[in-house]
Amino acid sequence: MMEKLIITAAICGAEVTKENSPAVPYTVEEMVREAKSAYDAGAAVIHVHVRWDDGTPTQDRERFRVVLDAIKAACPGVILIPSTGGATGMTPEERLQPTELFPEMATLDCGTCNFGDDIFVNDMPTMWAFGQRMIENHIKPEYECFEIGHLDTILNMAKKGLVPGAPMQFNFVLGVSGCTPATVGNLNYLVKQIPSGSTWTVTGIGRSAWDMAAAGIVMGGNVRVGLRTTSTWARATRPPPTVSWWPRWYASPRSWAARSPTPARPAGSCPWPKRRMSAAYPLKDRTICNEQEGENYETEKIFSAYSRGSHEPGSFLRL
């Protein structure tokens, strides 16, 4: 059977505002609304930045605690990945605050890069500190690579035991202004360099989001999309645009259909016209349906490479 597709919803980010799209969430209630809409549509993972109610980005630990707890309550079993990237200009100490909550996973940015008109600083001492914190707190990183060289850097650090090692989960963020362009060739190169047994996700920024999602699906990877990375297409969409991306994936060529996720539903009630294997819910007791044949299939464990440390493989799925 084809590997299951994992969709990550990046519902907020630190850069986009309600001026870009009115649906960008600021308040706790808005964050839960966007997360729940994505979860109900099939997202297995929510990537979390937080804001104050006026839209100001923050890495405040208590703000993260409130938001993460609220999303967990609304979306049982969802995988939450809080950001340690924060916003450009934040200190490493500010950015590390979510790790004090001992999340299962968190992002770890793999190098300094131009970020539009700004510089996103992740020098070696910063990455050492972030890696050590995640080792100490048993946090599984999602390694964010904005540049081709970032991958080589983090693999060397993992070999030296400076950051958590295999199995590793990578997110290739392509198309940021000033960073590696979002091309299939660049994505293909990066995927070929990762260690055996790793998992990977691709994030296309701006108008490259759809192209990179399509490439990631075809190449057997996973995708991240949402209001963090794309707001221009979403401006004209209703309902809230995090979930409005899903119909675009369902309209993909038939050869992708086996990797398109849908929510768990009773047999015969799937809204999609073709067979949809749900990889979206990482819980053993979830079922998926084949409307064409009226059968139920037990959902397989997914993202097995996310199991952390000495814990039983897949134990992180039991929130």
Side-chain angles (χ1 to χ4, degrees):
M1 183 182 293
M2 191 178 296
E3 287 296 320
K4 304 303 182 68
L5 171 66
I6 313 301
I7 295 177
T8 298
I11 59 177
C12 179
E15 297 82 18
V16 295
T17 67
K18 289 184 181 293
E19 294 179 357
N20 301 119
S21 171
V24 172
Y26 293 169
T27 68
V28 176
E29 293 74 18
E30 291 170 344
M31 293 286 291
V32 173
R33 178 201 70 202
E34 288 298 299
K36 184 68 162 59
S37 69
Y39 171 84
D40 287 344
V45 183
I46 306 294
H47 173 57
V48 184
H49 283 253
V50 297
R51 312 281 189 97
W52 295 119
D53 286 354
D54 65 359
T56 303
T58 180
Q59 289 292 103
D60 180 77
R61 178 186 63 189
E62 293 309 310
R63 183 66 165 187
F64 263 102
R65 187 195 303 275
V66 171
V67 169
L68 295 177
D69 286 349
I71 293 176
K72 285 180 183 179
C75 307
V78 75
I79 300 168
L80 299 177
I81 305 183
S83 170
T84 65
T88 56
M90 290 183 176
T91 67
E93 291 74 18
E94 287 180 276
R95 290 166 51 189
L96 275 173
Q97 288 183 77
T99 65
E100 297 170 12
L101 300 174
F102 296 87
E104 294 184 297
M105 298 187 67
T107 60
L108 197 161
D109 299 288
C110 299
T112 298
C113 59
N114 292 319
F115 208 87
D117 295 332
D118 297 313
I119 297 176
F120 185 30
V121 178
N122 294 284
D123 55 23
M124 295 302 290
T126 297
M127 289 189 288
W128 293 336
F130 281 44
Q132 186 60 37
R133 173 67 63 83
M134 293 190 188
I135 290 171
E136 292 172 352
N137 289 7
H138 302 287
I139 299 168
K140 187 71 179 179
E142 179 172 66
Y143 291 108
E144 301 220 318
C145 299
F146 295 81
E147 295 274 21
I148 287 176
H150 288 178
L151 179 58
D152 185 63
T153 298
I154 207 66
L155 290 178
N156 285 333
M157 292 180 71
K159 289 178 182 177
K160 297 175 182 177
L162 300 173
V163 297
M168 302 173 77
Q169 157 64 14
F170 299 92
N171 178 33
F172 300 124
V173 185
L174 303 178
V176 173
S177 177
C179 297
T180 297
T183 68
V184 174
N186 286 337
L187 177 60
N188 185 54
Y189 175 83
L190 287 163
V191 171
K192 287 181 176 179
Q193 310 310 310
I194 64 177
S196 176
S198 301
T199 52
W200 62 275
T201 297
V202 62
T203 303
I205 300 299
R207 62 183 62 198
S208 68
W210 171 243
D211 292 343
M212 290 296 97
I217 292 170
V218 170
M219 293 168 63
N222 305 295
V223 297
R224 182 207 278 183
V225 75
L227 290 174
R228 178 198 173 173
T229 54
T230 305
S231 57
T232 52
W233 181 84
R235 287 177 189 170
T237 65
R238 297 294 185 272
T242 297
V243 71
S244 68
W245 279 92
W246 267 249
R248 303 198 80 190
W249 284 318
Y250 294 137
S252 300
R254 188 172 300 170
S255 61
W256 304 353
R259 304 194 66 242
S260 301
T262 56
R265 297 173 183 271
S269 67
C270 284
W272 311 111
K274 299 296 180 182
R275 179 172 178 166
R276 306 296 187 186
M277 290 298 183
S278 173
Y281 292 95
L283 296 176
K284 293 179 181 178
D285 58 350
R286 296 287 181 125
T287 59
I288 53 178
C289 67
N290 175 352
E291 186 180 27
Q292 204 170 24
E293 300 174 11
E295 299 174 358
N296 277 356
Y297 295 83
E298 183 179 355
T299 304
E300 297 176 3
K301 286 192 209 176
I302 55 175
F303 264 177
S304 59
Y306 278 1
S307 58
R308 61 185 178 197
S310 60
H311 290 219
E312 175 190 355
S315 63
F316 77 100
L317 299 178
R318 299 189 288 275
L319 299 183

